[in-house]
Amino acid sequence: MSEQQPNPYTSDPAGGQGDYKWGPGEASYGYPQPYPAPPAYQPTIGGAGIPAPAYHGAAPVGGAGLSLGDITIAGDQIITPSGTMPLRGAMWNATDFSRTEEKIPPHAIVLAIIFFLFCLLGLLFLLMKQKTTTGYIQVTVTSGGRHHSTMIPAVDAYTYQWVMGQLNYARSMSM
């Protein structure tokens, strides 16, 4: 019982474990491959040293085609503070972080009290509502391995619909 049994899964018939190494020996399918060597230089401007492909589309050449916050589309590229990205194949997303609150303004409460004492119709002033919209809409764009996000302030309840209209136009230009 104190005698140790040989390992049936080893290639050594005697059961020796001298040449056994834990883990995979070489990188193979399913395991991460080694990283490629870094480039000889690190460009500080996006796309420096990379030749621009010839593009013969019907994109505007001069001024900006569309602007959402600090994201601008000009020609066949997207210009952001963090650098330029190719327009073709860009992924656009918008998230609504705004809210619209409805409340009775203070002057309506004062008028309701005053006119209630005089003619009992003052309660109609409590039907006055004031809508205020606060927050922002977040617009993100991803293209060419880069990602940029911007915030657009919500000025009214229809700001999100306006941003989505602009975003759908940008998506149509990205195809």
Side-chain angles (χ1 to χ4, degrees):
M1 283 255 182
S2 65
E3 191 175 319
Q4 193 174 25
Q5 298 294 324
N7 186 354
Y9 302 109
T10 183
S11 60
D12 185 13
Q17 296 179 357
D19 61 345
Y20 177 74
K21 294 180 182 170
W22 184 83
E26 294 291 322
S28 62
Y29 181 77
Y31 290 99
Q33 301 298 318
Y35 290 108
Y41 66 95
Q42 293 291 330
T44 56
I45 300 174
I50 301 172
Y55 178 72
H56 303 290
V61 177
L66 175 74
S67 181
L68 278 169
D70 58 2
I71 300 172
T72 304
I73 297 176
D76 62 345
Q77 60 186 356
I78 303 167
I79 302 169
T80 65
S82 59
T84 59
M85 301 180 227
L87 177 62
R88 197 155 180 87
M91 298 290 294
W92 298 86
N93 288 317
T95 307
D96 188 8
F97 291 113
S98 66
R99 68 172 192 258
T100 302
E101 295 176 346
E102 194 174 271
K103 60 182 178 179
I104 300 171
H107 65 271
I109 296 172
V110 170
L111 288 172
I113 293 171
I114 292 172
F115 281 97
F116 177 73
L117 297 175
F118 292 115
C119 59
L120 297 176
L121 293 176
L123 295 178
L124 291 176
F125 284 105
L126 294 178
L127 296 177
M128 292 174 60
K129 302 289 181 183
Q130 180 181 8
K131 290 185 179 183
T132 56
T133 301
T134 57
Y136 54 90
I137 289 100
Q138 180 183 25
V139 176
T140 58
V141 61
T142 304
S143 180
R146 290 184 149 190
H147 177 80
H148 184 73
S149 176
T150 187
M151 305 291 186
I152 299 172
V155 293
D156 60 8
Y158 302 105
T159 304
Y160 185 68
Q161 283 81 8
W162 175 80
V163 168
M164 286 306 295
Q166 299 292 314
L167 213 64
N168 287 331
Y169 180 63
R171 286 175 180 158
S172 69
M173 290 174 31
S174 298
M175 292 183 165

